[in-house]
Every structure is written in structure tokens, then in C-alpha cells.
Amino acid sequence: MALNDEGTMIRAVVLTDGKLELTEIPEPTPGPGEVLVDVLATGICGSDKSCIHHPEAFNAASQRNFGVEMLDLTKPLVLGHEFSAKIAAYGPDTEQKLPVGTRVVAVPALPREQSVLVGFGGIETPGGFAEKAVVNEQLLVPVPDNVSDELAALTEPMAVALHSLNRIEIDENDVPLVVGCGPIGLATILLLKARGIGPVVATDLSPERREFAKRVGADVVVDPATDNAYQAWMAAAATDDPAKMATPTMVAGQLPLRPTVGFECTGVPGLLAQMMTGAPPASRIMVSGMNLGDDVIQPGTGILKELDIKFTLYYTPQEYAQALGIMASGEVDASPLITGEVGYDGIADAVAKLGTSPTDAKILIKPGL
């Protein structure tokens, strides 16, 4: 199918100087190996909120670690990297194995000479806050008929959670603690339960988010304002079977506990140090929450307890496809994560709501609303 005529305009919500504005932008043009897609549904991510409210901190973190600023704040940005879509047209040098009109999701990256992360770029490479986007053909995954547009839009956050489980190498003998029951924490609980891992302990200050955790399968839910989540974690991990006990450490010796794995899913400063203090010796900790600022930990705590700490970001293309497959197979029901839908004129309010409303997990943007 040929590309649309030059000069075609599309609707988009553009971020300029910290403000979101509904406007029109030129329809993006797919380059070699790329595909133009019509956006069907887009999730609002915590990193979208960070780009809106703390773009300088976002850039400082990427500059400090990679030598480049991730966001070009001199130009308008079109956010949104969690989206489902359908193929509108193929660019040059494409294989075109999927018919135009096929519903797809895609890893939000354009591996060009200068790589682009879709959803963090300008109007030339808009994300899901626009009616159309450009994606890489080799990173497309067709959406099965039994998966709705809305659920397909959750592929990206589910892939983030899946990558964290794979990186920490969790198995059925491990007992997890999930700290923070926002979208990534809830996705983590869903995947843990799908793997038969448990009991799963979850904790969050918000009673509404604790209810979310129960709905997606957490076995033990703790209010940290009144109870000690780490004691509940150790109680859940207790065992008198030597074959199931965690590897002993020189200082602590053999403890009557199964291996313990913690997931820090908040990014709140100080929580990693708190987890290190509360975790049993030989625990593994996966940090999924994005803290763009400074933090303080006590390395001696990690050394004395022989803790393993890993950090996670994104996923592999294989994990992305697997995340969609897990939802399609019915292994997980991610629908409780979706708590609202808005059109373009409701994005600004939805972003503000996600920052203050504990009753919302994932609000989706639907171009037709």
C-alpha cells in the first residue's frame, strides 16, 4: 500500500515546555524497513509522567550514564511507548509479510543510524500520543484475535515485568516480596502467579493498591503503616525442609527460610536501603522502580548479608513477544490493570490523576474517544 500524500496532518498531544497540547502534526514517514501504523490504544506510563514533570532529571540521568540527553527539550515531544496499533502502510525495503490492517504491537525502537526510542522523540517519530506512529518491521508482533486492543497495549509493561523476573532468575522455590503495587508491581504479581511461584507477599501504603494486589493474586498483602512487610515475608518463606532452605552464608549460617526475592517497584528514594535492611541474608533484590535522583544505601548491609541486587530496564524482543503470548494464552488476566480510558482531550487530566489517584493503575488513551 502506498504512503499517504505529503502534507497529510494527524492529531497528536504534544509536550512543549512542560505542557500537553492537542494539535496537528505532519504524518510521520516510515524509512527503510519501517512501517506506518494507526494507533489503537496507548497506556500512560510512569516514565511519561517523568518526562512531563521532571524532564531535566530524565536528561541528567541519561547524560550521566550514556553521555547523551535522551530528550531534546528544544523541540516538541510526542510521548507514548505502550501502544497497540494496526498496519497502515509499509515503507521502502520491507518484507510486508503481514497484510495492511493487521493489528500489531511493536517494541518501541527504531534502530536507525541514530537510534530512536519511540515515545521519547519529536514530531518526526511520534509515540502513541499521536494518531499514527512509525515502528520497525522486524520488531512487529501480530495481535491474536482473542486479545483486545486495550489488553494488547499492556504488552510493554508486562514485558518490563517479565524481564525483571528473568534477570533475577526466580523459580518455584523462591518466595517473593513485591514492594509497590502500581502497574509494574501488579504485572510482576500476575507473572509470578502464572509461574506458580509463591506465596507472593505484596505491600503498598495505599489501601486501594493493596486491593489491586489481592485482585491479581497476591497471597499476603501488608499495610506497611501498621505491619512489618519484611517479617511477613520471612514468615511466608519459613520452612523446616532442609532441601528447600536458602544457601547459608558465613555470618548468618543456615536459616529456616526458602530463598527470598524482593522486587522494588516504586522508585521512592530510601526504599532500596529499607529493603536491604529488612531482607533476609542471601536475598536477591530486583529494582524496577525508576528513581531519577540520588539515593543512599549502606554497602556494609549488602556485604554482611551477601545480598544480590540487580536493576532492570526494558526487555528483549523475545520477551516482548512472550509477554503478548502469555496474555493471549490466558495464563494471566491483565484486565484489572486497566482502570480508565480517555480521548486526546483527556490526557492532561489523566496524567494528573495518575499522580494522585490510588484507584487508578493504567489509564488508556483511545484516539476515537
Side-chain angles (χ1 to χ4, degrees), residues 175-181 189 192-193 197-204 209-224 227-238:
V175 178
L177 168 68
V178 178
V179 178
C181 300
I189 295 170
L192 288 168
K193 298 298 292 184
I197 296 170
V200 176
V201 183
T203 182
D204 197 296
R209 293 199 181 277
R210 293 197 299 274
E211 284 300 314
F212 275 127
K214 292 177 183 177
R215 288 174 60 190
V216 299
D219 299 289
V220 180
V221 178
V222 181
D223 178 358
D227 296 295
N228 189 307
Y230 303 101
Q231 289 180 0
W233 188 20
M234 285 186 278

Side-chain angles (χ1 to χ4, degrees), residues 58-264:
F58 212 92
N59 273 349
S62 61
Q63 175 68 44
R64 184 167 57 248
N65 292 288
F66 300 108
V68 296
E69 292 188 342
M70 190 169 173
L71 307 175
D72 185 351
L73 299 180
T74 66
K75 299 179 180 179
L77 303 177
V78 185
L79 303 172
H81 57 281
E82 305 176 357
F83 59 87
S84 61
K86 64 180 179 181
I87 296 173
Y90 282 95
D93 303 327
T94 48
E95 297 178 5
Q96 305 188 26
K97 293 181 179 179
L98 299 174
V100 168
T102 300
R103 292 188 309 135
V104 294
V105 291
V107 174
L110 296 174
R112 299 175 173 178
E113 183 176 350
Q114 184 172 350
S115 294
V116 176
L117 292 176
V118 178
F120 296 95
I123 59 175
E124 301 85 3
T125 56
F129 284 25
E131 288 182 305
K132 294 180 184 288
V134 170
V135 295
N136 180 271
E137 183 184 33
Q138 298 304 314
L139 298 177
L140 286 177
V141 184
V143 176
D145 291 340
N146 67 325
V147 178
S148 67
D149 300 341
E150 295 78 15
L151 281 177
L154 299 182
T155 301
E156 207 274 348
M158 291 297 293
V160 171
L162 178 62
H163 185 59
S164 72
L165 266 64
N166 290 342
R167 272 185 49 75
I168 206 68
E169 298 177 342
I170 195 165
D171 64 33
E172 64 275 3
N173 191 42
D174 295 322
V175 178
L177 168 68
V178 178
V179 178
C181 300
I184 296 301
L186 296 174
T188 300
I189 295 170
L190 281 169
L191 291 171
L192 288 168
K193 298 298 292 184
R195 290 191 181 186
I197 296 170
V200 176
V201 183
T203 182
D204 197 296
L205 283 168
S206 162
E208 293 86 355
R209 293 199 181 277
R210 293 197 299 274
E211 284 300 314
F212 275 127
K214 292 177 183 177
R215 288 174 60 190
V216 299
D219 299 289
V220 180
V221 178
V222 181
D223 178 358
T226 59
D227 296 295
N228 189 307
Y230 303 101
Q231 289 180 0
W233 188 20
M234 285 186 278
T239 181
D240 56 6
D241 184 349
K244 293 184 177 181
M245 292 178 185
T247 302
T249 66
M250 182 63 73
V251 174
Q254 180 69 74
L255 298 177
L257 300 175
R258 290 162 56 188
T260 43
V261 181
F263 294 88
E264 201 292 280

